[in-house]
Amino acid sequence: MVRNILTVAETRDGSLRNVSLEILAAAERLTDGGEITAVLFGSESAKYVEVLGQYGAHRVVTVNNRELDNYTTEAYSQALLQVIDSVKADAILMPHTALGKDLAPRIAARLGLGLVSDVTDIKLVDGEVLFTRPIYSGKAFEQKRMVEGIPFATIRPNNIPIRDTGVSTAVKIEFSADIKELRTIIREVVRKTSGKVDLTEAKVIISGGRGVKTAEGFAPLQELADVLGGAVGASRGACDAGYCDYSLQIGQTGKVVTPDLYIAAGISGAIQHLAGMSNSKVIVAINKDPEAPIFQVADYGIVGDLFEVLPMLTEELKQMLCKV
Ligand code: FAD
C-alpha cells in the first residue's frame, strides 16, 4: 500500500504546467488515505503552494536554490534525490515532459528502481499499482506493475482528469538542497518558438502538413487556433519543406500529443505521424484526397481544399462563440 507519494511539479515560462495537477490526481488514485507531497524547484516555487494544495497536495516542498532556476540534469537530480530521501517517498510520479523524460531515468538508475514511462492511466487493484501505457506507436496498450521496488512512473500530459478540491490546506516545507560540482550551468534560455499555447498540453491542436504549401499557408491554421484557444502543430513533411520550425513536429520523432480536438489539415496520415496524435480524443481530417490514410483514424473527415474549408470553419466558430 502506498502511504507517502511524491509528485514532481513543473513550471514553464513562469506558469505551473497543467500536468503538475494531473499527476496529483493520479497520486490520489494510489494513496487511499496516505500523504501526497509535491515538490517544485526554482526561486519562484513558493508561488504555487496554494494551487498545488487545492489540487490534492497535502505538503509542498519548495526547493529554491538558484541553480534550479533553469533545468540541468545534474542539479535537478542531486536536489530530487535529496528530497526523495527526506520525505521517505514510497512512490514517485513525474510528468512525461522533456524534463521528466530526462530526469526520471537518471533517478531510477541512481536508486536502482524500475521506471514505467509515458503512463496514460493508473489505478490501484487489490493493493497493487497498475500502470497503462501505449506501445507500438500507440497501436496497442500494455498494463504494467512493479514486481519489486517502489512504484515510479512518468505520466503523459492531458490524460488524467484534474481534481479541484476547492480549498488548499497544503503545508509548505522549504528545502535547501546541497548542490555541488556542477559541470553545466544554464545562463539563459532562448526559445525557438513563442507559441501562446504549449503544444504538449494544448486541448486543441490544428496541424498542417505538406498540403499547406508555404510558410504563409499556416496563416488560416493559426487563425482557427486563435479562435479555439489552441496551438498549431505540423507534420514532418511540413517541417522538412521548411514551412515551419521542427519544434512544431508531431509524430514518432516529434512530440506526442493527446488533445481533446486534433484537426489535421493537408496531412496524409503516415504511420509516423499517427504515432504522435492517434490517441487524441476527437480527430478531424481535412484533405483533398478522399483516399488519404488520415481518414482511417479520423472521427470526422472533410474532403476538400484546406484553404477553403479552414476559413469557413473559423468564421462559423467565431459566430457560434459570439452567441455563447
Ligand atoms: P504528404 O504525405 O505529402 O501529404 C500531404 C497531404 O496533403 C496529401 O494527403 C494531400 O492530399 C494533401 N493536400 C495537398 N494539398 C491540399 C489542400 N490544398 N487541401 C487539403 N489537402 C491537401 N512524419 C511526421 O509527421 N512526424 C514524425 O514524427 C515523423 N517521423 C518519421 C520518422 C521516420 C524514421 C521516417 C522514415 C519518417 C517520419 N515521418 C514523420 C515522415 C512520414 O513518413 C511522412 O513522410 C510525413 O508525415 C508526410 O507529411 P505530410 O502528410 O505533411 O505530407
Side-chain angles (χ1 to χ4, degrees):
M1 182 67 68
V2 177
R3 303 298 309 164
N4 201 2
I5 186 159
L6 181 71
T7 70
V8 178
E10 188 183 334
T11 57
R12 187 174 192 264
D13 296 337
S15 307
L16 191 68
R17 295 190 73 156
N18 212 41
V19 66
S20 310
L21 309 180
E22 291 163 10
I23 55 176
L24 285 172
E28 178 74 29
R29 295 182 187 183
L30 309 184
T31 48
D32 197 19
E35 282 271 309
I36 301 174
T37 305
V39 58
L40 189 55
F41 301 101
S43 49
E44 303 268 281
S45 50
K47 275 199 333 206
Y48 306 103
V49 172
E50 189 161 338
V51 64
L52 289 167
Q54 189 181 329
Y55 284 85
H58 302 120
R59 301 188 297 177
V60 179
V61 177
T62 59
V63 193
N64 50 19
N65 295 56
R66 206 170 30 85
E67 302 91 327
L68 301 169
D69 278 348
N70 287 316
Y71 176 77
T72 62
T73 320
E74 276 181 295
Y76 269 59
S77 55
Q78 287 188 34
L80 183 55
L81 284 166
Q82 290 165 33
V83 173
I84 292 168
D85 185 47
S86 143
V87 304
K88 309 270 173 283
D90 59 7
I92 307 165
L93 298 181
M94 291 177 60
H96 194 71
T97 53
L99 182 151
K101 283 188 253 184
D102 184 68
L103 186 57
R106 175 174 285 223
I107 298 294
R110 288 284 155 89
L111 296 176
L113 293 174
L115 171 68
V116 187
S117 67
D118 201 12
V119 167
T120 52
D121 196 18
I122 186 166
K123 56 186 162 205
L124 201 59
V125 179
D126 299 329
E128 236 180 15
V129 182
L130 211 57
F131 298 104
T132 304
R133 64 187 296 276
I135 50 170
Y136 302 123
S137 300
K139 285 197 279 304
F141 289 86
E142 66 175 356
Q143 288 195 317
K144 287 204 152 183
R145 65 187 171 82
M146 298 306 218
V147 285
E148 59 182 57
I150 63 171
F152 185 14
T154 59
I155 309 288
R156 185 187 282 199
N158 265 349
N159 276 275
I160 313 264
I162 55 175
R163 217 180 56 85
D164 183 356
T165 65
V167 283
S168 174
T169 51
V171 176
K172 178 179 157 202
I173 301 165
E174 284 181 27
F175 187 93
S176 180
D178 180 19
I179 299 172
K180 48 191 171 208
E181 290 167 22
L182 293 182
R183 284 169 295 182
T184 314
I185 292 169
I186 309 272
R187 299 226 178 268
E188 192 189 0
V189 177
V190 181
R191 295 213 184 275
K192 264 187 156 178
T193 56
S194 55
K196 293 168 215 155
V197 184
D198 178 4
L199 204 48
T200 54
E201 293 204 330
K203 298 281 178 213
V204 177
I205 295 176
I206 324 292
S207 269
R210 231 184 314 247
V212 302
K213 305 220 169 44
T214 57
E216 293 71 38
F218 268 94
L221 283 80
Q222 187 62 61
E223 276 168 41
L224 181 55
D226 289 344
V227 169
L228 294 174
V232 169
S235 71
R236 178 154 144 191
C239 301
D240 283 346
Y243 304 158
C244 61
D245 192 87
Y246 280 101
S247 58
L248 300 191
Q249 184 184 321
I250 289 167
Q252 187 182 314
T253 43
K255 295 195 166 87
V256 175
V257 296
T258 32
D260 292 344
L261 173 62
Y262 188 89
I263 301 181
I267 294 179
S268 59
I271 189 80
Q272 295 89 354
H273 186 75
L274 303 186
M277 47 61 77
S278 60
N279 288 321
S280 304
K281 291 178 191 86
V282 175
I283 298 171
V284 177
I286 304 167
N287 200 301
K288 281 204 301 199
D289 175 7
E291 303 297 327
I294 191 77
F295 287 124
Q296 286 165 23
V297 295
D299 299 284
Y300 300 94
I302 304 172
V303 179
D305 187 325
L306 71 94
F307 295 107
E308 289 170 20
V309 176
L310 283 175
M312 276 196 280
L313 262 180
T314 307
E315 211 36 57
E316 277 301 312
L317 285 162
K318 264 191 203 160
Q319 308 270 343
M320 273 172 62
L321 293 170
C322 277
K323 285 184 197 147
V324 181

